[in-house]
Amino acid sequence: MITSDKEVRLRALEPEDLELLYHIENDRQLWDVGTTNVPYSRYVLHDYIANASGNIYNDGEVRLIIENGVGDTVGIIDITDFDAKNQRAEVGIVVTCENRRKGIATAALCQIADYSLRVLHLHQLYAVVGENNEAALELFRKVGYTEHLQLRDWLYDGKNYHSAVLMQIFL
């Protein structure tokens, strides 16, 4: 497993993260690379922050805020579709536009892999990445994920279907 010397901190969601969460969840450009296709209200997101236990065994997921070396909030990383029986989960990451290409996502993915192995005792993490999303493909390859399967017409952008790649890392 690859490591990073970039300083980032992963922490639990706090009420003050509402605006970042609102911005990311309602960014239509991100809808094309994920499974979200409806806007979320501040009320719904506030309720999510208030009621998420932070316990992956209860919620089936954990969402963490990414902070850079000086404590600025710069993104979100998720472990979702947690499967305790088969010791695997999906990972997703969003770094704010102005903080991309600075090594932050690499460092966050390395930390989440370490957490997944040492704390959650997972065997693997996976990501579904659009086959035309070169930046994301490069990022996941850089931290040790390998491409294992093409998912034909997996993502729909409202007009066209796009294929995706299942990428895995074994911890």
Side-chain angles (χ1 to χ4, degrees), residues 52-65:
S53 71
N55 182 332
I56 197 164
Y57 294 96
N58 292 336
D59 299 340
E61 65 179 23
V62 66
R63 173 168 273 185
L64 300 170
I65 295 296

Side-chain angles (χ1 to χ4, degrees), residues 42-53:
R42 283 180 177 82
Y43 176 81
V44 167
L45 294 172
H46 180 272
D47 190 54
Y48 172 79
I49 292 170
N51 292 307
S53 71

